[in-house]
């Protein structure tokens, strides 16, 4: 549920590709709150896409034209952590629809060592580490780490849009 608001602008960015769509429900990723690997992050995005399609169908609708799942995560890069996200698109009701999600990944960037230390030593999620380091509140629901580090030049929605 925490990601729903943060990703709305990325979804709105797809309006040029999809003329008619309906925003649906926040769904669980089925992975840890802070995915710590490529595999876990990708699995979270795939799980969200499948869960969104199922939630749509349970609401009494026919299957959706497409369902999208987004999941942010981090992964080891030497002594540090890379930050990235996965997108998964499922198109179960299309004539040649995707029975399994198609995935893509954003670019990645190395987190500052101070954030990596907080995540490693204190077990903080990335957003909580950001809040502690940058004296913010609930940054994971706003512009995210990429927005903080670039001083708003690249916000989370822009960072995610290319992969979506």
């Amino acid at each position: 549920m925490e990601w729903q608001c943060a990703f709305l602008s990325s979804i709105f960015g797809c309006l040029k590709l999809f003329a008619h769509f309906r925003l649906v429900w926040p769904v669980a990723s089925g992975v840890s709150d802070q995915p710590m690997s490529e595999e876990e992050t990708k699995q979270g995005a795939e799980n969200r896409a499948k869960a969104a399609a199922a939630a749509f169908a349970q609401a009494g609708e026919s299957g959706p034209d497409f369902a999208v799942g987004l999941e942010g995560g981090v992964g080891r890069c030497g002594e540090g952590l890379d930050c990235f996200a996965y997108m998964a698109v499922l198109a179960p009701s299309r004539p040649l629809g995707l029975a399994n999600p198609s995935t893509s990944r954003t670019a990645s960037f190395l987190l500052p060592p101070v954030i990596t230390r907080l995540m490693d030593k204190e077990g903080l999620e990335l957003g909580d580490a950001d809040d502690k380091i940058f004296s913010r509140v609930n940054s994971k629901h706003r512009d995210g780490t990429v927005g903080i580090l670039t001083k708003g030049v690249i916000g989370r929605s822009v960072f995610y849009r290319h992969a979506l």
Side-chain angles (χ1 to χ4, degrees):
M1 183 162 167
E2 69 186 49
W3 291 98
Q4 180 187 16
C5 294
F7 296 128
L8 287 180
S9 58
S10 288
I11 298 297
F12 286 125
C14 291
L15 279 173
K16 293 178 183 175
L17 298 174
F18 304 103
H20 176 76
F21 75 98
R22 189 180 312 181
L23 292 176
V24 223
W25 305 264
V27 293
S29 69
V31 298
S32 60
D33 289 341
Q34 178 59 70
M36 296 295 290
S37 70
E38 294 264 352
E39 296 79 17
E40 185 180 20
T41 306
K42 182 178 178 183
Q43 187 64 58
E46 291 175 349
N47 291 349
R48 286 185 193 274
K50 291 174 184 176
F56 188 89
Q58 269 188 330
E61 304 284 345
S62 60
D65 289 334
F66 68 95
V68 179
L70 311 165
E71 187 72 32
V74 298
R76 272 292 149 210
C77 181
E79 297 288 316
L81 289 172
D82 266 345
C83 183
F84 49 82
Y86 271 87
M87 315 300 146
V89 177
L90 182 69
S93 66
R94 306 307 302 166
L96 297 175
L98 299 169
N100 294 307
S102 174
T103 59
S104 62
R105 183 186 178 279
T106 65
S108 61
F109 58 93
L110 191 62
L111 293 172
V114 66
I115 292 176
T116 298
R117 278 192 298 277
L118 281 175
M119 293 180 73
D120 284 344
K121 303 279 192 251
E122 296 183 26
L124 294 180
E125 289 182 36
L126 178 55
D128 297 329
D130 286 343
D131 289 348
K132 189 169 187 175
I133 296 298
F134 298 107
S135 301
R136 296 176 57 132
V137 176
N138 209 18
S139 60
K140 63 184 171 184
H141 292 286
R142 296 173 31 205
D143 49 0
T145 305
V146 70
I148 295 168
L149 295 176
T150 64
K151 298 186 183 199
V153 173
I154 300 171
R156 183 185 357 235
S157 63
V158 170
F159 186 62
Y160 285 11
R161 188 173 301 137
H162 295 96
L164 188 55

